[in-house]
Amino acid sequence: MLKLAEGIGATPHRRGNGFETETGDNSASDLFHHLASSACPDADYIMYATCVTPFMKKETFEEMIRIFRNEPEKYDSVASVQNNKNFFWMNDKPLNFDPKAQCKSQNLPPVLNVTYAACIIERDNMICFRNCVGERPLLYEVDELEAIDIDTSLDFVISESLHKLSINTLDDVTTNLQYLNTGTTRQKPLLLDCTIRDGGYTNSWNFSDEFVTKAYKAVSESGMDYFEIGFRSNTKLFPPHSKMGKFAYVTDGVVRKMIARVPGGCKIAVMAKMGTFTADDFSNAADSPVDMVRVLFPLLDEDRKSKFCEKKFAECVQACRDIKAKGYTVCLNLACAEVLTMAEYESICDLVVYSKHKSFGPDGNAIVPGTACCDFLYLADTYGAVSADLASRLVKKLRFELTVRQRCSGCSIGFHAHNNLSDGWTKTLSAIDAGASIVDSCIFGLGRGAGNVQSEVLICHTQGMACGRNGKTLDLEPLLHFGDTNIQSYEHMPFQSRFSFGQNCLHLMTGFLKMHPDYAQTILNNYRGMPLSRSIKMLKMIQQKCHSTCQNSFHMKIFEEALEATKEEEF
C-alpha cells in the first residue's frame, strides 16, 4: 500500500509507536493527535481520508475543500457524514422515534454518522481537539454508495462486486439496472463450427474438397447455424505460399461448389484477417454464397508489437463498415481477449459504435443511440488463457458498454474459446450465461495446439437451451460419425495406457443419453472393433430399456440383449 502511495506522488508515513494495528491500547483520539503531530509537521491543514471508502467521488472531495476554504469563520472543519433514516435504540430506549406514534421511515429525524471518508481541519485544531472533526463542523452528507466503509469481509465482498459491475456512482446503479433489464438469463446462442478455418492451422488448410464437404454436411445435419470454411485472403496482400492450401484463400467459387453438394445446408462464414484483404475482395452479399464475414483484428501496433493500437483498430472498424454495407452479417473478432485492458475495451466500444453527433450525458451514457460497425463483437481466447470468470466478466463488460453506455442495440457479443487448460466448454458456457449470443467450436476440437471447444461436447451442454436452425433439435450423431471417420477413430480414443479411462465418443454419448458409463466401457473393453454406428445404436436401445424399467445401474443382461438385437444389422 505504501509503495502504491509513493507511486502516485504521496509521501508515506509509518505510524509506529503502537499505532500499527487497530488492537493496541491507543484510542482513536490518540491516533488523530499522533497523525497531526508526526505525519504532517509542516502542514497548515489536514484532510483525513481513508482508503477503505473506495466510492468517494472526486467532485465530493473538491466541494468539501471549496466549502472549507470559503467559509472559515462559519466552520472550523468539514466532515463527511451519512444520513441514516432507521429506527435506532440506545440504552434500551428508542433514540429517534416514538414507538406509540411511530412514523414512516422517510419521516424520521436524521441520525448522522461520520464516515471519515474525508475530514478537513486545521492541523493545530486537530492536535487541540484530538480529532479530525472540530467544534463547529459542516457535516457534509454523502450518498449511500460513497458512505460504504470496508470494515468487514462482507463490506469487501459487496464493494468488490460493485466494482466488477463498473458501479462507481449511484447513477451507475440505475444504469446497471437498465442493463440487467436487457436480459442476462441464458439465451439460445447461435452455434458456429470453425473446424476448417481453425483446424487449418494443423495442416496449412490443405483439406480435400471431400473432407470439407463431409464436414459441412455433418455440421448442417447437427443443427448448427454457421460453418466457417476458411480465410478470405487477397493474394497480393498475402501472397500464396507453396504450403498453403486453397482454404486459406476461399473464393465464392469454392463455396458454391461445396454448397451445391449439400442442399439446404447451414449458413457459410469466412474469416478475413486485417492486413490480408480489402473490402473490394467481397462482392455484394446478394451475389455471394457467403453469409457472414468475420474480420480478425490481431493485437499488433504499427511497430508490430503486441499492443492495442487505436489507429489500427479504427482501420478495422472502417473495413467492417464497408463489408457490412455490402449486406453481410459482420463479426469483429478481437484477438488476445485476456491481454486487453478494461480501458481499452471501453475505447473499442466507443470506436465500434458510430453516431453523427456523439455526445454523453451527465451519467456518462450516450445521448443519441449509435450504430455499430458489426453485428457481433467477438472475444477470441487466442492463448487459451481466459478463465471462465474472466469470460463472464468480459462479455458483461462489452454488453454493458454497448447497450448502456453507447445505447447501441444492434451489436451482440460472441466468444471463441481454446482448450489449452481443458476448460473450453466451461468458459464458453460462462460466456453464454453472461449474454454471449454466438459461440464457436470445432468437431473433435480440431484446431491449433490443444485445440478448441469440441462441437459435439458443446451440443451436449446446450441441448437444453438451443434448438438449432429453424427450430430443429440439435443432433450429436452426425458430428460423431464425421469425427470417427475423418479425424480419429473412437477405437483409438483414449490413447492406450495402463488404465482404461478417458474421454471417448461413447462416453460422450452416455453422458448425452444420461445413462451408466459402464455400457460404453464394456464396448471399449470387449468390442473395440465394433463400428461406431452399431455402438451408438446399442446405447440408444439400452437407454430406452433402462429408463422404461427404471434400471439406471449397469446390467449385463440388458447389454447382451442390445448386442444380440444389433448383431445382424448393417450400418
Side-chain angles (χ1 to χ4, degrees), residues 252 282-291 323-329:
D252 281 357
F282 295 90
S283 61
N284 289 327
D287 303 321
S288 172
V290 173
D291 302 282
I323 296 171
K324 188 171 171 60
K326 295 188 176 189
Y328 293 95
T329 298

Side-chain angles (χ1 to χ4, degrees), residues 416-541:
H416 174 93
H418 283 246
N419 207 34
N420 298 55
L421 302 177
S422 298
D423 62 349
W425 63 266
T426 307
K427 50 195 170 189
T428 298
L429 290 181
S430 291
I432 294 170
D433 285 339
S437 300
I438 183 170
V439 293
D440 296 2
S441 60
C442 299
I443 303 173
F444 279 33
L446 183 63
R448 179 164 48 186
N452 297 56
V453 179
Q454 301 99 314
S455 295
E456 60 278 8
V457 174
L458 186 60
I459 279 183
C460 288
H461 285 287
T462 57
Q463 61 173 320
M465 58 178 169
C467 292
R469 295 177 296 115
N470 304 318
K472 180 182 176 182
T473 301
L474 295 171
D475 189 354
L476 178 65
E477 292 184 45
L479 302 179
L480 294 182
H481 285 299
F482 173 82
D484 179 65
T485 305
N486 298 280
I487 298 177
Q488 185 177 26
S489 171
Y490 89 98
E491 295 181 51
H492 306 295
M493 298 169 62
F495 298 114
Q496 296 294 328
S497 69
R498 292 173 184 262
F499 306 96
S500 181
F501 78 104
Q503 185 57 275
N504 184 282
C505 290
L506 299 188
H507 285 307
L508 184 67
M509 201 69 198
T510 58
F512 185 75
L513 296 173
K514 302 180 180 66
M515 58 187 293
H516 201 287
D518 280 357
Y519 288 109
Q521 196 63 49
T522 302
I523 295 175
L524 292 170
N525 290 345
N526 304 306
Y527 303 94
R528 187 171 279 269
M530 183 186 294
L532 178 63
S533 52
R534 182 183 175 188
S535 299
I536 291 176
K537 178 93 171 187
M538 280 185 61
L539 291 176
K540 285 183 170 181
M541 292 177 65

Side-chain angles (χ1 to χ4, degrees), residues 357-406:
H357 303 290
K358 182 176 282 192
S359 58
F360 296 87
D363 59 359
N365 300 334
I367 295 174
V368 179
T371 303
C373 69
C374 55
D375 299 281
F376 298 99
L377 183 58
Y378 246 93
L379 294 161
D381 177 28
T382 307
Y383 302 137
V386 173
S387 65
D389 175 67
L390 181 58
S392 177
R393 285 192 285 123
L394 291 179
V395 170
K396 289 178 180 178
K397 174 67 174 177
L398 292 185
R399 289 184 62 236
F400 181 82
E401 290 296 324
L402 291 171
T403 61
V404 178
R405 292 290 189 213
Q406 301 290 339

